[in-house]
Amino acid sequence: MTILKFEHVGVQVKDIEESIEFYTQKVGLELIETLPHTDPSLKLAFLGLEGNVIVELIQGYNSSLPNEGKVHHFALAVDGIEEEFKRLKSAGVSFVEENIVTLPNGARYLFFYGPDKEWIEYYEVKR
């Protein structure tokens, strides 16, 4: 198993533009990248410090969020995502989706469940 680092926390938001403004202007994070998802109903924005992503904003998963918001997942950076997928599968881990998704920027990810159905992401940057 090769976990390289803590990657980011994914936060569901109702309005991604409003959230980008809040996190950049009020919280003090920098906008690193926005990009479309392969699912056109989703919008993504990555924010962080000194070029390091720590928060992913996600619009489109749930339009009726509770007042306290919703942490969607936490992500760990890995190397060799195909091998990690096979390893998790052989360990009997349940997956949110049974595939590895490739984003338009070349990054790849997969989601699996923790013991309390929390979403965990393995994230591999493009090479």
Side-chain angles (χ1 to χ4, degrees):
M1 173 161 75
T2 307
I3 295 177
L4 303 174
K5 65 176 183 161
F6 177 79
E7 178 63 31
H8 63 263
V9 172
V11 178
Q12 293 184 99
V13 299
K14 292 179 184 175
D15 182 325
I16 201 161
E17 295 302 324
E18 178 181 37
S19 294
I20 289 170
E21 182 179 337
F22 177 84
Y23 281 96
T24 58
Q25 301 301 313
K26 295 182 173 72
V27 175
L29 296 179
E30 64 185 71
L31 176 62
I32 295 171
E33 179 179 24
T34 61
L35 74 143
H37 192 277
T38 53
D39 176 344
S41 68
L42 301 177
K43 294 180 181 178
L44 306 175
F46 296 90
L47 298 97
L49 299 169
E50 298 177 5
N52 295 308
V53 173
I54 58 173
V55 175
E56 174 189 17
L57 302 177
I58 310 159
Q59 179 184 309
Y61 270 117
N62 182 348
S63 61
S64 58
L65 298 175
N67 285 337
E68 66 272 15
K70 175 80 175 189
V71 171
H72 183 263
H73 67 275
F74 71 89
L76 301 169
V78 298
D79 191 26
I81 199 162
E82 290 93 358
E83 294 81 14
E84 290 300 320
F85 178 71
K86 291 174 189 171
R87 184 186 65 75
L88 291 171
K89 198 169 196 154
S90 69
V93 170
S94 296
F95 292 87
V96 176
E97 295 177 359
E98 287 278 337
N99 62 330
I100 297 170
V101 175
T102 302
L103 293 172
N105 68 354
R108 301 183 310 158
Y109 70 86
L110 63 87
F111 284 113
F112 58 97
Y113 293 110
D116 292 306
K117 299 295 181 199
E118 68 275 16
W119 286 28
I120 302 166
E121 177 184 5
Y122 274 3
Y123 184 87
E124 181 181 67
V125 296
K126 63 181 175 182
R127 296 174 198 229

